Amino acid sequence: MRRGMDPYTTMEVDDPLENLRLRVTLWLLPMGAVAALAAWGFSVAGGVLNPLDRALLWPMALGFLVLEFYLWRNPQRIRQVWKAALALLAVYELSVVYYEAAFFLYKRDGISPALLWFPMVYLTAFVLLNRRQAFGFSLSYLGLGLLLGTAGLLSSPVVNPTALNTALQFVLSNLAYLMLLYVFASLRRHYAQMHQMAHTDPLTNLTNRRAMQGRLEAELERAQRYQRPFSLLLADIDHFKQINDTYGHPVGDQVLREVAVRMQQHLRDSDTLARWGGEEFLVLAPETELGPAQGLAQRLLEAVRQAPLAGVPVSLSIGVAAYRPGDTVAALLSRVDEAMYRAKAAGRNRVLGEDSLVLPTSWPEEEGSGR
């Protein structure tokens, strides 16, 4: 499976909360099922099971368990699962609002335990949707709840001050929840933007050097723990200084962007492409030995040089190195850098693995930046 570069605002940027969201959901769904079954069981034991709970609690609990199993088998469908869980909870809570207001609120000072879950719909919406959508949905949900609650109060045998006070406090507290959630959602949005800025190259929209360093360390730890292979590819644009000098820096910037696009289109979802330096690109290829990595490098080379970029013929020099037991990140980067320099010393526009040539005693002088 190939992937293309997405714009700045799309999900190509890693969501730092996505894994956490998945783990929490896998816990929340069975908790919701347990809560529904517990409410049913205690109501039966106390002899207070009402027709609404008798009709809705079991289907809701079963729905949560089905969603849990589905998410466990299909973790990539987490947003669809959230939507279904949101619908189940919203329908139940809105039904409880009317039933409580119509038949029970006038008899007691507080609300039923079922309505304690009413704000969970807001929380779910703010996790699932963007800030504006979540706020709009939550306001609509609260407004519908207010209408149903009002209809229930008007149809109840007695409308007393205690019931009205309870209803008013419920509405005001839920408005306060909404305001606070909107603030937290705004903070989350700013956090995501700052995270993206800190980990993304602004010109090419690729992973930057800082973020790639962290991924390298994580992949090295995984390789050491599970004895799994991985490789690095270091690509350098040949004669890039001459491109800037001849055509200007705007053309040079466009060349960098188009090189990034072409390389990204030939990588797997599991691979990571980063802008490593001025005109250098680093590829982290998990589960890839040296030989297949060299084949991947050759495909990247062909993809870039097959047609001019921004009207300029462009080629790459690519070095390839593979993880060895006992490696450090610094040692692996040193070897892939050496392999890339060998490719340049051998005439550029080629791929060389770390074991392809013996290192020369000195590097030939090159024009411009030495690249």
Side-chain angles (χ1 to χ4, degrees):
M1 180 179 179
R2 306 297 183 190
R3 64 180 180 186
M5 284 183 56
D6 291 335
Y8 182 80
T9 56
T10 67
M11 290 304 293
E12 175 62 27
V13 177
D14 291 335
D15 182 353
L17 301 178
E18 192 66 22
N19 289 333
L20 175 62
R21 185 179 290 118
L22 177 61
R23 292 196 299 271
V24 169
T25 304
L26 288 171
W27 281 98
L28 283 177
L29 288 172
M31 285 176 59
V34 169
L37 293 176
W40 181 87
F42 284 117
S43 296
V44 170
V48 293
L49 183 65
N50 60 62
L52 179 69
D53 286 346
R54 182 181 295 112
L56 295 182
L57 284 178
W58 270 101
M60 187 168 64
L62 180 60
F64 285 149
L65 292 176
V66 169
L67 289 173
E68 169 78 3
F69 178 75
Y70 179 78
L71 182 61
W72 180 69
R73 296 291 301 271
N74 304 277
Q76 75 281 4
R77 308 290 288 181
I78 183 171
R79 294 192 177 275
Q80 287 75 15
V81 169
W82 270 108
K83 289 178 181 178
L86 179 63
L88 284 173
L89 188 58
V91 168
Y92 176 73
E93 288 299 321
L94 289 172
S95 302
V96 170
V97 166
Y98 176 79
Y99 197 81
E100 176 79 6
F103 300 105
F104 293 102
L105 189 57
Y106 69 93
K107 297 179 181 179
R108 54 176 181 247
D109 294 335
I111 61 175
S112 70
L115 283 179
L116 297 176
W117 290 89
F118 192 89
M120 278 297 296
V121 173
Y122 310 142
L123 293 172
T124 306
F126 275 94
V127 169
L128 173 65
L129 307 172
N130 66 43
R131 181 184 50 162
R132 292 181 183 274
Q133 291 173 337
F135 191 66
F137 173 85
S138 298
L139 277 179
S140 300
Y141 167 71
L142 179 58
L144 185 57
L146 181 60
L147 289 175
L148 290 171
T150 302
L153 283 174
L154 293 176
S155 64
S156 64
V158 179
V159 179
N160 57 48
T162 300
L164 291 176
N165 179 57
T166 300
L168 179 63
Q169 296 302 323
F170 177 79
V171 172
L172 292 177
S173 64
N174 275 269
L175 282 173
Y177 293 151
L178 274 183
M179 295 300 107
L180 289 174
L181 281 172
Y182 188 79
V183 171
F184 283 122
S186 299
L187 293 175
R188 185 183 69 178
R189 177 171 174 264
H190 289 303
Y191 164 72
Q193 291 175 338
M194 293 178 65
H195 182 275
Q196 179 173 350
M197 291 173 62
H199 293 82
T200 305
D201 173 61
L203 178 64
T204 62
N205 199 33
L206 295 178
T207 300
N208 65 14
R209 187 180 186 117
R210 181 198 309 189
M212 186 59 145
Q213 189 74 31
R215 296 193 183 194
L216 289 175
E217 292 170 358
E219 188 63 30
L220 180 66
E221 181 180 354
R222 191 179 78 91
Q224 292 171 340
R225 178 175 298 180
Y226 302 109
Q227 291 77 52
R228 305 303 306 167
F230 73 93
S231 294
L232 294 183
L233 291 67
L234 183 61
D236 186 271
I237 300 176
D238 295 329
H239 299 297
F240 186 71
K241 184 177 184 303
Q242 293 180 16
I243 294 175
N244 277 332
D245 292 344
T246 303
Y247 302 98
H249 286 278
V251 172
D253 289 347
Q254 186 60 29
V255 166
L256 288 169
R257 284 190 287 264
E258 293 190 23
V259 166
V261 169
R262 289 198 188 178
M263 293 181 69
Q264 188 78 73
Q265 289 172 343
H266 288 76
L267 296 176
R268 303 167 299 177
D269 286 341
S270 58
D271 299 331
T272 302
L273 175 62
R275 187 180 178 195
W276 192 244
E279 65 269 22
E280 290 182 344
F281 297 87
L282 186 67
V283 177
L284 169 61
E287 300 294 329
T288 307
E289 303 277 4
L290 182 61
Q294 288 177 279
L296 171 61
Q298 190 64 42
R299 292 193 295 275
L300 297 179
L301 176 62
E302 295 294 339
V304 168
R305 70 184 180 188
Q306 66 183 355
L309 299 173
V312 181
V314 175
S315 65
L316 301 176
S317 297
I318 306 180
V320 184
Y323 165 73
R324 300 172 184 172
D327 258 340
T328 63
V329 169
L332 188 52
L333 287 171
S334 177
R335 293 205 310 276
V336 76
D337 192 58
E338 290 169 354
M340 186 271 291
Y341 268 105
R342 291 174 184 171
K344 300 190 81 66
R348 301 184 179 86
N349 191 23
R350 67 193 62 215
V351 173
L352 284 182
E354 60 180 329
D355 57 353
S356 299
L357 291 173
V358 177
L359 275 170
T361 56
S362 62
W363 297 112
E365 294 293 330
E366 299 180 15
E367 297 179 3
S369 65
R371 298 292 186 176

